[in-house]
């Protein structure tokens, strides 16, 4: 199976959320892979109820990451990853933080 990924700017997370996602989510949230210019974040393909259950802990500490994950799910069931990249696209439905 070949899937798509969503390319987003790291500015959608902000510096602290970006750092915390890279260092704190391992094993307690979506799979995160740090790279030189940002992060790859896995998009769950679970049904909506299961997805919302999995993300309860993200609401408080990672609200912007959760918003991006929800956006990816709306864009299609074949979006398996989000690439947060310093040169990534800025999406009009997500907030932007200059850092």
């Amino acid at each position: 199976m070949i899937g798509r990924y969503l390319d987003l700017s790291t500015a959608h997370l902000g510096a602290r959320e970006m750092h915390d996602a890279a260092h704190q989510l391992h094993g307690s949230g979506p799979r995160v892979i740090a790279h030189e210019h940002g992060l790859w974040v896995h998009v769950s393909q679970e049904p909506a109820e299961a997805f919302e259950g999995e993300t309860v802990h993200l609401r408080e500490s990672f609200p912007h990451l959760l918003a991006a994950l929800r956006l990816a799910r709306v864009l299609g069931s074949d979006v398996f990853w989000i690439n947060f990249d310093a040169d990534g696209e800025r999406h009009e439905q997500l907030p932007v933080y200059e850092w």
Side-chain angles (χ1 to χ4, degrees):
M1 170 186 280
I2 298 175
R4 297 183 304 157
Y5 70 91
L6 177 59
D7 188 46
L8 291 176
S9 172
T10 53
H12 288 308
L13 294 184
R16 179 177 176 172
E17 196 167 342
M18 183 77 169
H19 175 271
D20 290 352
H23 295 92
Q24 295 178 8
L25 281 177
H26 301 287
S28 64
R31 183 168 183 204
V32 175
I33 302 169
H35 61 80
E36 184 178 356
H37 302 286
L39 300 172
W40 284 96
V41 180
H42 182 256
V43 178
S44 172
Q45 301 301 307
E46 294 294 324
E49 285 183 14
F51 171 76
E52 290 302 324
E54 289 176 355
T55 60
V56 168
H57 70 284
L58 295 180
R59 289 181 193 147
E60 187 173 313
S61 299
F62 300 96
H64 305 109
L65 175 59
L66 181 56
L69 288 167
R70 286 180 173 146
L71 174 65
R73 289 172 57 89
V74 167
L75 292 176
S77 61
D78 62 341
V79 177
F80 294 102
W81 290 91
I82 300 172
N83 179 32
F84 287 101
D85 189 279
D87 295 324
E89 297 290 322
R90 291 184 176 195
H91 196 282
E92 63 187 23
Q93 293 180 356
L94 298 172
V96 173
Y97 302 94
E98 299 298 333
W99 51 282

